[in-house]
Amino acid sequence: MKARLKELEANAISELESVTDIKSLDPWRVYYLGKNGSLTQILRSLKNLSPDERKSVGAQANKLKLLLQSELQRKKDFLKENELSRAFEKKDLDISLPGRAFPAGRTHPITQSLREICHIFSTMGFGVVEGPEVELDYYNFEALNIPPDHPARDMFDTLWLDSSVDGDSNPMLLRTHTSPMQIRIMENSPPPIRVIVPGKVYRYEASDATHESMFTQVEGLAVGEGITLANLKGTLFEFASRLFGAERKMRFRCDYFPFVEPGVEMSIECLACGGNGCKLCSNSGWLEILGAGMVHPDVLKRVGYDPQIYSGFAFGLGVERIPMLKYGVEDIRLFYENDTRFLKQF
Ligand code: PHE
């Protein structure tokens, strides 16, 4: 038995020696160390030996097993190393080539604008909060002085949801603006308040170069004692001069929103023509960028604020418009088509 083991060892080692490629190592391993390999068979037959013999032959056989395993590993490492250096020599592998760069991700242009806007307002002391995109009729309309059948509902083509929380008395919809958050915020905290609300809004309308059924707004709300229209104007002019440059002309004009009194729209001097009149500004020289106003006393009353003590301003800004104006993007739909050739430019 011991002699058989010796012979096995000699054969195995010399055969291993003559192996020259990694692939041929496997048959060798199966032949000697495999489940039905020669060494395994010897180990299995140990049970037929006398206890004394079993002990010494067993020890020898186990030693041989370890030896063959480690020799196999050594040979494997050796062949691998060899293959590599051969590849270097044959120039199959050029280790001097630079690595392949992974394309880095980037933020979407709307996200970039949104962050810039939020940054400007937060340096002016505004907190940032977000709200639900699925909203109740109450917050989107009613509490904002837009009861059912109010003609102002025509300003907001609404996407209604089939389900509603308590029958049809409180229908649900996709918010048409971020203004419902004015109510939610005031319901939940006492004045003073100074926040902005960035978020997606939805309108049921055909999309074209300047309209999308989903777009982004930033709502602003400041309520406290003694807040006036002058504070609104100062805040928004400061904001716009940081975003568009201090030399850019700005103006306020009367506008109407049911939840503010007085209501205004703010425009900036056209970025394309500098105020002379062009296609972009429909020859007016001005571009409207947001709607705003003083929070209506009835809105304040509805959330339990005393309009004799508190006043406030609110504004709502369309985000897509800003990179469109800044970079001359002529079609709003480009932002949501996910064409990386477009997105990569920002
Ligand atoms: N929510 C209005 C809109 O979407 C904008 C607005 C907000 C106007 C706040 C006044 C005050 O058109």
Side-chain angles (χ1 to χ4, degrees):
M1 203 61 150
K2 286 197 169 171
R4 255 180 73 198
L5 280 172
K6 273 276 163 230
E7 197 189 321
L8 194 89
E9 178 176 339
N11 288 346
I13 297 293
S14 84
E15 269 172 43
L16 189 62
E17 205 97 308
S18 59
V19 172
T20 53
D21 62 300
I22 290 188
K23 269 190 232 122
S24 320
L25 281 177
D26 211 47
W28 181 91
R29 183 190 59 79
V30 172
Y31 183 79
Y32 288 103
L33 294 165
K35 258 197 202 140
N36 293 309
S38 341
L39 185 58
T40 317
Q41 271 169 17
I42 292 180
L43 283 166
R44 263 197 218 123
S45 66
L46 286 178
K47 57 179 187 292
N48 306 324
L49 300 177
S50 70
D52 271 359
E53 257 182 326
R54 195 184 307 154
K55 209 170 162 192
S56 72
V57 176
Q60 195 188 345
N62 276 321
K63 231 171 87 187
L64 180 56
K65 187 175 174 185
L66 290 177
L67 176 77
L68 294 187
Q69 278 168 342
S70 77
E71 284 300 306
L72 174 65
Q73 189 57 48
R74 238 191 30 202
K75 185 77 182 190
K76 211 185 253 171
D77 293 345
F78 171 77
L79 290 176
K80 235 187 234 166
E81 186 87 353
N82 246 352
E83 254 171 33
L84 232 99
S85 45
R86 254 202 314 254
F88 287 152
E89 273 160 28
K90 278 205 313 198
K91 302 261 189 276
D92 281 356
L93 190 63
D94 182 353
I95 53 166
S96 68
L97 273 180
R100 283 190 194 103
F102 283 102
R106 63 186 68 232
T107 46
H108 192 278
I110 299 304
T111 308
Q112 290 175 28
S113 285
L114 203 53
R115 288 192 186 163
E116 191 181 1
I117 294 164
C118 291
H119 176 73
I120 294 174
F121 281 112
S122 51
T123 60
M124 297 203 272
F126 284 79
V128 182
V129 295
E130 287 181 306
E133 290 173 24
V134 170
E135 198 37 291
L136 293 167
D137 180 290
Y138 178 76
Y139 290 104
N140 197 83
F141 291 127
E142 291 252 20
L144 291 166
N145 286 343
I146 315 174
D149 304 322
H150 191 288
R153 292 207 174 203
D154 289 349
M155 292 163 67
F156 307 100
D157 299 298
T158 308
L159 284 155
W160 296 94
L161 276 90
D162 274 347
S163 58
S164 54
V165 265
D166 45 57
D168 283 328
S169 64
N170 219 338
M172 292 173 93
L173 45 79
L174 293 180
R175 66 177 176 192
T176 59
H177 51 173
T178 41
S179 300
M181 276 303 284
Q182 291 184 29
I183 309 298
R184 288 185 178 275
I185 292 162
M186 290 191 284
E187 270 184 350
N188 283 315
S189 42
I193 281 171
R194 190 161 38 168
V195 288
I196 54 165
V197 186
K200 292 264 179 281
V201 301
Y202 301 84
R203 303 240 174 125
Y204 182 50
E205 55 191 7
S207 61
D208 61 30
T210 53
H211 297 85
E212 252 298 11
S213 46
M214 180 198 78
F215 57 101
T216 317
Q217 284 191 335
V218 174
E219 191 81 8
L221 177 70
V223 188
E225 287 180 53
I227 291 185
T228 67
L229 188 71
N231 297 129
L232 172 62
K233 196 169 173 182
T235 304
L236 290 179
F237 277 34
E238 174 64 23
F239 160 73
S241 75
R242 289 206 212 164
L243 196 63
F244 298 106
E247 64 294 338
R248 190 75 37 201
K249 280 201 200 114
M250 296 163 230
R251 76 172 182 194
F252 261 26
R253 289 203 305 176
C254 293
D255 203 346
Y256 170 74
F257 302 95
F259 37 95
V260 287
E261 182 56 37
V264 297
E265 58 103 339
M266 181 172 147
S267 301
I268 58 167
E269 184 185 52
C270 180
L271 296 170
C273 64
N276 297 324
C278 67
K279 209 176 110 210
L280 183 66
C281 58
S282 316
N283 279 317
S284 68
W286 295 95
L287 300 165
E288 189 182 331
I289 59 162
L290 57 81
M294 300 306 291
V295 181
H296 198 290
D298 289 347
V299 172
L300 293 175
K301 264 188 241 159
R302 200 169 285 116
V303 296
Y305 286 12
D306 184 350
Q308 299 297 329
I309 305 173
Y310 299 108
S311 58
F313 65 72
F315 58 86
L317 164 87
V319 175
E320 281 77 2
R321 200 80 214 278
I322 290 173
M324 285 177 83
L325 298 175
K326 260 189 152 168
Y327 306 119
V329 176
E330 282 178 359
D331 195 321
I332 190 173
R333 293 168 292 193
L334 286 166
F335 289 119
Y336 299 110
E337 278 167 1
N338 284 337
D339 186 333
T340 51
R341 289 168 304 179
F342 170 74
L343 296 174
K344 263 186 189 162
Q345 301 174 73
F346 299 90

